Every structure is written in C-alpha cells, then in structure tokens.
C-alpha cells in the first residue's frame, strides 16, 4: 500500500479524496484540513465535474477552520522541491497557486481555489451592512479572521484581510450554482423539469432562485454568502440532480424522433445516410472550405484521365 502524502506545511498526513471529473474520470485531491490547503496533481483541478465540486465543497465544509497560517514557502508533496508561486491573472489579482517546477502539481488554499474559478466576489460595504442585519460576524473567506471594517476610501483597490492579506471575498451564489450544474461535459438545464434550486432569503424567508438571484425582489435583502457552510442546503438540492443526469449517449430518444415515429424518413437507414451526409459535408467544409468545389473538379479530371489510360 502506498503511504499517505504529508502536508509540507504542517507535516500531518493529507487526506486523499477521489472526486468525479468530466466524463466520469477519476480526479484525486489531497486535502489538509489543518492548513485549508488542497493539493492537485498537474491539471487535475480543471477536470472536476459539478459532482466533483460538490464532493470537494463537502470536504471543505466538514473541515474545521485552519488553526495556523500557511507559510509562503512550501515544498512539493511528491518531490519536496520548493514550490513556485504562480499568480493567475484573475480579477482578484492574488489568486496564487504554489506549483512544482517539475510538473507534479499545485497547492492552493480553499478560498483561492474557488476564486480562481470565479466562484467568489469581492466584499463591499453593502455586504457588511447586510451581515450586520443578519447578526453574522463577517470573516475572511481565506483565513477565517474576523473583519471589522472594509475601507471605502481605497477606490479601485480591492480591500484585503488585515490578517492574511488576501482580498476579502464572499461566495458568488449564482456563479457557484451554475458551475456546479455541469456533468458529463454538459451544462444541465433546469427549466421545465420542475427542478428549481431555491435558497431562502435571509431577510423574509421567500425562496430565491440560486441560479440567478443576487437580491430578494420581495424585501430587497442582498444574498451574502460569507462562508462555505451556507452552501450546504444548495449542495443537498443539487447533488441528486447531478447524480440523476445521464451521459448524452444514455439518454432516451428525443421528442423530435418521437414525432417522426411511423414516418419513412425516420428509419435507421435514413438516419444513417443523413448522418453520413452531415459528417461528409461538415468534414469537407472544415478541410477545404471554399476550395471543396476545386477539389471535386480535380477528382473528376483525374477519373477521366484514368479512364482514358485504361481504354485508349
Ligand atoms: Zn497542513
Ligand atoms: Zn514536485
Ligand atoms: Zn484572512
Ligand atoms: Zn426577502
């Protein structure tokens, strides 16, 4: 049996979790609950499906708040070489991942991993007022330190946590919901299936549409998601929908084909010919574009030449 990898920050064993990737691939993440860090082997994090994200978010929620700050210098989980900070250009500026120069993978904090995927938004004074109304102590999504005030004078600058210097962030509910609604490489559509993802407004209790609402139409209360545990009810609704989503090939015939039942043009042969035609025409367009006609003329000339050689 392979020994568990150890966190190179706190030296505790990392918890290996297996998540679902696109098209049912297996994606392995190593989580340190102590440091709120996730290790992904090269490119693994981009392969997570919606269901994979649900699994990862559940793991993050189940993990108690980090007790210590993470040093800026960390070693690779696999080769113990020094990791290099790689700053990805996002609107949060500092969504840095620590990457192994030998391509083994990367370490990322929980909050910055979410920020990199655009699943968070910056905290504004309006959000602080809302949290105050909700009797919730605002905290840094990255390190959990309490936030007392957001400087408003620094126009154009993102307010940062005074403890860990990470931009103050909140989860972006519609973006997060939309990112989760992906399975087997398809974006799931909820309309017309009686499937509504609803979260209760914290102002008046009215159900809000998690895929798009950022404030309540009834009472004007803003949707503010200061911590991951607030996502739990959404995960409970979304998980069975994701699990029920079948791959494209496994889906029953669509309405269009049902309507065509009994029609001679709906026979298997006709469909095959239609498909062959589609494949041929799209291929020739892709390969030759407007020169397709020229290619056909050349082919015809070559055929005439061959016939001439045979029968002269
Ligand atoms: Zn650790
Ligand atoms: Zn390495
Ligand atoms: Zn912080
Ligand atoms: Zn409301």
């Amino acid at each position: 049996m392979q020994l568990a990898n150890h966190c190179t920050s706190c030296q505790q064993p990392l918890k290996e979790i297996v998540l679902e990737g696109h098209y049912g691939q297996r994606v392995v993440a190593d989580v340190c609950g102590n440091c709120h860090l996730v290790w992904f082997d090269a490119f693994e994090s981009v392969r997570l499906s919606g269901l994979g994200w649900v699994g990862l978010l559940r793991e993050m929620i189940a993990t108690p708040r980090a007790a210590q700050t993470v040093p800026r210098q960390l070693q690779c989980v696999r080769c113990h070489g020094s990791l290099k900070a790689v700053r990805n250009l996002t609107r949060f500026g500092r969504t840095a991942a620590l990457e192994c120069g030998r391509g083994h993978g990367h370490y990322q904090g929980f909050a910055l991993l979410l920020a990199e995927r655009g699943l968070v938004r910056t905290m504004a004074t309006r959000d602080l007022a809302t949290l105050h109304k909700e009797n919730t102590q605002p905290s840094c999504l990255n390190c959990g330190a309490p936030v007392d005030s957001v400087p408003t004078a620094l126009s154009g600058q993102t307010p940062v946590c005074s403890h860990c210097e990470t931009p103050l962030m909140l989860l972006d509910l519609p973006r997060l919901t939309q990112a989760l609604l992906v399975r087997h490489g398809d974006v799931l559509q909820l309309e017309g299936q009686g499937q509504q993802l609803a979260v209760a407004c914290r102002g008046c209790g009215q159900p809000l549409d998690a895929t798009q609402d950022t404030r309540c139409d009834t009472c004007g209360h803003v949707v503010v998601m200061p911590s991951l545990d607030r996502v739990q009810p959404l995960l409970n609704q979304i998980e069975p929908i994701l699990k029920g989503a079948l791959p494209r090939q496994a889906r029953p015939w669509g309405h269009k084909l049902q309507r065509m039942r009994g029609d001679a043009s709906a026979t298997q042969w006709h469909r095959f010919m239609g498909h062959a035609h589609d494949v041929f025409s799209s291929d020739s367009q892709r390969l030759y574009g407007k020169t397709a006609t020229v290619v056909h003329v050349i082919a015809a000339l070559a055929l005439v030449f061959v016939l001439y050689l045979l029968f002269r």
Side-chain angles (χ1 to χ4, degrees), residues 165-234:
E165 294 174 31
T166 300
L168 292 173
M169 300 176 280
L170 297 161
L171 292 159
D172 189 319
L173 181 65
R175 277 167 181 259
L176 181 69
T177 309
Q178 282 158 20
L180 294 180
L181 284 170
V182 178
R183 196 156 186 238
H184 307 301
D186 282 329
V187 176
L188 304 186
Q189 302 295 331
L190 296 176
E191 285 85 22
Q193 295 174 37
Q195 295 170 327
Q196 188 76 29
L197 292 167
V199 288
C201 167
R202 288 196 173 244
C204 69
Q206 286 287 314
L208 304 175
D209 182 352
T211 58
Q212 54 179 19
D213 288 345
T214 53
R215 67 185 299 145
C216 173
D217 281 342
T218 313
C219 72
H221 195 86
V222 182
V223 178
V224 179
M225 294 277 200
S227 56
L228 278 164
D229 51 348
R230 287 220 183 163
V231 182
Q232 190 91 52
L234 177 72

Side-chain angles (χ1 to χ4, degrees), residues 39 76-81 83 100-105:
W39 172 269
C76 173
V77 164
R78 308 251 180 262
C79 70
H80 291 266
L83 297 176
C100 169
R102 292 180 197 156
H104 290 131

Side-chain angles (χ1 to χ4, degrees), residues 5-23:
N5 287 307
H6 282 68
C7 174
T8 51
S9 176
C10 68
Q11 315 309 324
Q12 296 296 307
L14 289 165
K15 183 178 177 186
E16 185 185 283
I17 53 170
V18 179
L19 303 163
E20 190 198 68
H22 292 306
Y23 306 104

Side-chain angles (χ1 to χ4, degrees), residues 133 157 195 240 269 288:
K133 263 199 284 181
Q157 273 189 350
Q195 295 170 327
W269 170 249
Y288 315 119

